[in-house]
Amino acid sequence: MFGIVRPCSHRLTDGLKTEWMAHLCGLCLALRSDHGQFSRIVTNYDGLIVSVLTEAQLEHTDGRRRTAGPCPLRGMRTAPVARGEGARLAAAVSLVLASAKVRDHVADRDGLLKRRPLAAAARKVATGWDRAGARTGAELGFDTAVLVDAVDRQSEIEALAGPGTPLLTVTEPTETATAAAFAHTAVLAGRPGNSAPLAEAGRLFGRLAHLLDAVEDQGADEASGAWNPLTATGTSSAEARRLADDAVRGIRLALRDAEFTDDRLAHVLLAHELRVSVDRAFGTTVCGHGDHGRHEGPGAYEGHGAYEGRDSHGGPGGLPPQGNPYAGQGAGAYGPYGSNNPYGGGHPGIPGGPGGPGGMPGPVPEPPRPGRRGFWAGCAVFVGLCCTCKLCCAKEYEGPWSRKKREGCCRDCDCDGNCCDCCGCDC
């Protein structure tokens, strides 16, 4: 279940958690119905947004939900799930884009895929997914060739990219693919006037997905020597954060130009949760029920971060032109907001900093992160997570392949206080 939009349960109020799970399970079951059991492995959090957008534009009918049988990922409970053309379009798009991800891993010779027999098998699976996605897309009037073409151009662009290449040149194929998928939801819903604004929202969503994936993987890619767009083009974290913030803002504006029957879930996912996804990728915030107030990384004081709306050139409560006055001193060196020590993180000799009057010891460096698991080891861990329902109900678990910390998709949360995001949009 990969993707950048991973909402925490306590933020999906007023029945939106049930709706979100209905679309997630609907995508999974649409994959099974149209393409077989194995295809369910491409179920992802971002693909369900296609289903959400389609339903948000349709009039409410009794046939948009069906009751699915017990599932280990739901703790062996039944549940209402989304059905219809939106879920099938999400399945087709997910298959084609997942096939691109497989081919990318083969090209990078990741893990066991560096072995020719396994690489050949993976390419065969990817080719089958391309055909299956194209078949379903054709039934829905959607030509998946635009997705395949974008995938093919992506590898060519990456081969030519280097220092000085605009980052948006690298993200363009992903933007084109997601724009086509978002725009076709308006066709399925019979609202052609929504095609243009939803295409713009999809274009920016694709840009954001590409950017955040690059940001989250940059450290691991540098360690392994894998290609990363930020490293290859020499793009700074500050510039990546600026582009991400602009994309979130643009998606919000595009959604205002579209007409919906019920856009509550779409609004929460694309206007609120995308902001959380950006903050999570850049390390500027954590979930509302976790460690409050932790701001890390070069983007912590930029865009819509802790000082949103303030004059970046000074003024009351403002910051120097450079943004973070403590930048360049390492993780945890951001004054009173940078670590769990309320007085730590200053310069040596400054009160509260290491060596200053009444100073505390410097921040303890984080232990090295474990490396990624191989393909088969990750599969074994994935099966274990499924059988123990941790993918669904655990407050936190380790990703089977990436080993990153994840949150169970439908876990209970005993959050205290107000966890609402004040994103400044019209709710």
Side-chain angles (χ1 to χ4, degrees), residues 4 19 71 78 99 107 149 157 159 180 193 198 200 246 255 258 273 277 311 323 333 361 364 376 382-383 408:
I4 63 172
E19 290 295 302
C71 175
T78 60
S99 73
D149 176 67
I157 291 174
L198 290 183
E200 176 66 6
D246 286 346
L255 290 178
E273 289 301 328
S277 300
D311 184 2
V364 178
W376 295 113
F382 178 80
V383 171

Side-chain angles (χ1 to χ4, degrees), residues 337-348:
Y337 303 100
S339 68
N340 291 329
N341 171 15
Y343 304 101
H347 290 278

